[in-house]
Amino acid sequence: MSDVRVAGTGLTPFGNSPERTGRDLFAEASITAFEASGVPRDDVEAVLYGNFMGELSEHQGHQGPLMAEAAGVQAPATRYESACASSGTAVREAVKRIRNGENDVLLVGGAERMTNLGTAGATEALAIAADDLWEVRAGVTFPGAYALMAQAYFDRFGGEHEDLAHIAVKNHANALTNEKAQYQSAIEVSDVLEAPPVSEPLGLYDACPISDGAAALVLTSESYAKEHDLEAPVAITGTGQGGDRMALHDREHLARSPAAREAGEEAYADAGVDAGDVDLAEVHDCFTIAEVLALEALDLEPIGEGISAARDGRTTADGETPINLSGGLKAKGHPVGATGASQIAEVTDLLAGEHPNSEHVDGATTGVAHNAGGTVASATVHVLEVTDR
Amino acid sequence: MSDAESVADAGFDEWLDAAEDGKAYALECANGHGSLPPRRVCPDCGSTDLEEVALPETGAVQTFTITHVPTPAFEEDAPYATAIADFGSVGITGQVIGVEPGDVETGMTVELEITVSETTGERVIGFQPV
Ligand SMILES: [Zn+2]
């Protein structure tokens, strides 16, 4: 089985650019990724592309071929949709194809255009990741669904809003050096606690922003990387995916993410590592509580203890296991279809020593990317390792 | 969305009708796995033999939130409390009505009561504390 090398990564700035089309964003990310990889576009055998709300935000379905064209690639192209885990699932499919020998070179990524919808429109578009009949029609929003989980977590395990605030503060601090991040501004715990409520107990500073942006990755087989003498020291060595019931009220756990646990266990086993080997992770912190649930699902924190990880410094940049050194979805931004691929790009750059925050993880060899869809009815986890230097 | 609103959602709209008549039900397989319609297969065991069983009179709030930033369909309703309540073999998501949102608590006993959105006039599943 071939290792899957990350030959090049490309990200647009994440943020507020309502005038930019999805095709413009993905073109930019792919240009950066191709330049970084040294791989010619002609060698790309397929494009795997993640996107969630294109029909609503751009009146554009069938985005696969459109985005291949935008990237200057003539190859079969498919769009992957799993809500906010759309490009995580695209990466997973790419890894499987390269491993089974079907392909040697793939362009993988995603993009989302969101800010042109406005806050109410984007809230409505994001809400369709929930069950339309039984959740959306009862008034459940995306923040509302996570708030239901946050309240359940507090009731079951303890903790309070102030604990969550430390997660937001940490992720903003990490984004200060990330020039692609939507927010490069420090915040204080008091800012989080005093922010307007969105869906109690969560407020404005517990939530990731609405963002436009794209991410692209050039992935190759190990043999292609060697043959072409590519500088590609980081490999995706483990992949996993988990699923859960669509509606929160149908789940066994309201304060845990079994789909992410399933995905994590599969990815760890696939890579032959365990949680103790993980030096850093990018986890899906669309809301502060989501980071807590992710840490516990990935076994990076015991169940019921993830709530204190940021407050007690275990997950800060200089902690034992830095989490979301990119700034996370919270401060980097969350253009949903781009997010999963962007996390793989950040982990790759961190491990390769090419990230502004690499200094905090000097000598790190193992990173994890966790991408969640909806209220974690879908989850993908990938393990990345430095294979040679 | 407006075109679709005139068309009934098979299973769901009938359930709302029944709930309005005080005859809300769950679907159950022979193994006692409960679920909500529309559904042809038990998601727990794959049984295709599902029977309608009456919901208990009251449920218990498992978790809740107070939403201040709604979708456009609930613009006039905000802030409102949404809860997940357990009714026997099923969980249901609904809006807690008849009390101030700030008075909602986990463990609260509630009855189903179909209400309407102040914004759209569409029917909404409601929970009335008892
Ligand atoms: Zn069953």
Side-chain angles (χ1 to χ4, degrees):
Chain A
M1 194 166 67
S2 175
D3 255 351
V4 178
R5 299 293 187 96
V6 186
T9 64
L11 297 174
T12 65
F14 283 8
N16 197 344
S17 43
E19 74 291 352
R20 293 190 70 181
T21 57
R23 54 187 107 187
D24 180 45
L25 293 164
F26 191 67
E28 178 182 327
S30 67
I31 288 167
T32 310
F34 277 119
E35 280 173 1
S37 70
V39 172
R41 285 178 174 74
D42 275 356
D43 283 4
V44 173
E45 295 158 285
V47 178
L48 295 84
Y49 171 81
N51 174 265
F52 173 53
M53 57 176 71
E55 287 84 354
L56 297 173
S57 64
E58 296 199 277
H59 197 246
Q60 186 65 67
H62 204 192
Q63 291 200 9
L66 184 77
M67 293 305 176
E69 195 180 313
V73 172
Q74 294 188 31
T78 307
R79 167 178 163 187
Y80 290 81
E81 190 280 303
S82 288
C84 313
S86 291
S87 58
T89 54
V91 170
R92 178 168 159 76
E93 288 307 309
V95 168
K96 293 202 269 184
R97 284 201 200 184
I98 290 173
R99 281 180 168 184
N100 71 22
E102 188 179 339
N103 295 119
D104 282 306
V105 182
L106 295 170
L107 177 64
V108 192
E112 207 72 63
R113 184 181 187 188
M114 300 172 70
T115 66
N116 62 319
L117 291 168
T119 300
T123 302
E124 184 176 33
L126 287 165
I128 68 170
D131 182 328
D132 179 62
L133 295 182
W134 293 99
E135 293 186 301
V136 180
R137 294 191 197 191
V140 173
T141 61
F142 190 42
Y146 275 91
L148 290 167
M149 293 194 276
Q151 186 60 48
Y153 188 99
F154 291 166
D155 287 340
R156 174 90 173 75
F157 301 113
E160 57 186 5
H161 193 200
E162 187 166 347
D163 297 305
L164 296 178
H166 283 272
I167 295 168
V169 170
K170 165 181 75 70
N171 292 346
H172 271 256
N174 288 343
L176 287 174
T177 53
N178 184 354
E179 60 180 21
K180 300 280 173 67
Q182 189 155 354
Y183 299 132
Q184 293 156 59
S185 54
I187 58 168
E188 308 276 341
V189 166
S190 58
D191 294 326
V192 184
L193 297 179
E194 288 160 17
V198 173
S199 222
E200 293 179 54
L202 304 179
L204 194 60
Y205 279 65
D206 289 280
C208 63
I210 292 162
S211 320
D212 307 303
L217 306 165
V218 177
L219 302 184
T220 76
S221 63
E222 189 178 15
S223 57
Y224 180 96
K226 284 188 171 154
E227 240 170 74
H228 295 77
D229 212 17
L230 300 182
E231 175 109 15
V234 178
I236 302 176
T237 56
T239 178
Q241 184 170 354
D244 205 342
R245 298 283 288 278
M246 181 75 163
L248 268 181
H249 59 235
D250 284 331
R251 309 251 179 101
E252 195 184 340
H253 297 286
L254 290 172
R256 289 164 71 170
S257 297
R261 176 164 291 276
E262 193 182 323
E265 284 174 353
E266 186 182 3
Y268 288 155
D270 190 25
V273 303
D274 61 39
D277 297 316
V278 176
D279 298 311
L280 61 99
E282 289 288 313
V283 306
H284 197 97
D285 61 325
C286 47
F287 299 94
T288 46
I289 185 66
E291 179 164 314
V292 176
L293 302 178
L295 294 179
E296 295 181 6
L298 294 172
D299 240 355
L300 298 172
E301 285 285 328
I303 300 291
E305 293 179 26
I307 187 81
S308 62
R311 188 193 69 204
D312 294 348
R314 296 193 295 279
T315 51
T316 50
D318 295 315
E320 301 152 46
T321 311
I323 301 296
N324 287 329
L325 280 169
S326 68
L329 283 53
K330 172 71 192 88
K332 185 183 69 170
H334 181 29
V336 292
T339 293
S342 80
Q343 293 171 316
I344 305 272
E346 302 280 4
V347 173
T348 300
D349 296 349
L350 282 161
L351 291 175
E354 289 168 4
H355 193 281
N357 276 333
S358 284
E359 58 177 293
H360 294 292
V361 286
D362 196 28
T365 57
T366 307
V368 164
H370 155 269
N371 189 201
T375 48
V376 210
S378 300
T380 63
V381 173
H382 288 93
V383 177
L384 289 90
E385 294 182 81
V386 179
T387 58
D388 56 20
R389 279 202 196 263
Chain B
M1 203 193 275
S2 54
D3 285 348
E5 272 163 9
S6 58
V7 179
D9 282 305
F12 181 71
D13 284 325
E14 285 88 332
W15 189 90
L16 289 177
D17 293 343
E20 277 182 325
D21 291 346
K23 292 173 182 161
Y25 54 87
L27 301 178
E28 270 186 24
C29 70
N31 295 318
H33 301 135
S35 56
L36 296 169
R39 202 177 290 282
R40 300 171 72 119
V41 183
C42 171
D44 282 310
C45 68
S47 166
T48 53
D49 189 11
L50 304 180
E51 203 183 331
E52 290 183 7
V53 299
L55 282 188
E57 287 288 310
T58 61
V61 169
Q62 300 299 308
T63 187
F64 66 96
T65 178
I66 303 167
T67 293
H68 297 262
V69 182
T71 65
F74 291 95
E75 226 153 41
E76 308 293 319
D77 297 74
Y80 55 87
T82 304
I84 293 175
D86 275 356
F87 284 82
S89 62
V90 294
I92 299 176
T93 303
Q95 286 188 10
V96 188
I97 57 173
V99 289
E100 287 302 314
D103 293 338
V104 177
E105 288 176 0
T106 300
M108 204 172 221
T109 301
V110 293
E111 276 177 344
L112 263 182
E113 190 179 317
I114 304 305
T115 179
V116 291
S117 156
E118 286 176 30
T119 314
T120 61
E122 291 290 308
R123 291 187 291 181
V124 174
I125 295 170
F127 298 143
Q128 174 81 52
V130 292

